[in-house]
Amino acid sequence: ADDPRILQEATRRAAVNLGLTHQDPGEIIGVRREVFSRKNVALTGKQLELCLLLLRATRSLVATMGQDTANMSHWIETENRGLQGVPKGLMKTVSGLAQTVQYRDAARAKV
């Protein structure tokens, strides 16, 4: 996490594994979608924090679903009663991203 470029690349790969579009990570992090395809664009401190939260949510999904990207993508796209919304949509706000991370961490603790 000391190198923002590594964190940026990890976030891009996590988005691919979750089945997110090229635009989705930008909306979640609060940057233009091109940021994740360019290696020389620097993210700010807050953007890096949001990347870490997205990675944490992804790690929780991997812990419970393994590397089943189709299942993870389905979970992201499907209405969730516990979250009272669709995770992909919720994650586009800071509070929704934090709520999703907390929910996933709680689900992971049960495994």
Side-chain angles (χ1 to χ4, degrees), residues 2 11 17 22 28 38 98 107:
D2 291 341
T11 302
N17 288 337
H22 292 294
I28 292 169
R38 296 181 185 158

Side-chain angles (χ1 to χ4, degrees), residues 51-102:
C51 285
L52 286 172
L53 280 176
L54 180 58
L55 290 171
R56 192 167 145 199
T58 304
R59 188 176 62 218
S60 290
L61 282 168
V62 169
T64 56
M65 298 179 186
Q67 293 294 328
D68 186 350
T69 56
N71 198 19
M72 288 190 289
S73 178
H74 175 74
W75 188 87
I76 289 289
E77 298 278 347
T78 304
E79 179 78 25
N80 183 290
R81 284 190 228 157
L83 289 170
Q84 298 177 349
V86 177
K88 180 179 170 180
L90 294 171
M91 292 167 65
K92 293 181 181 179
T93 66
V94 175
S95 61
L97 179 56
Q99 178 187 7
T100 302
V101 168
Q102 290 173 342

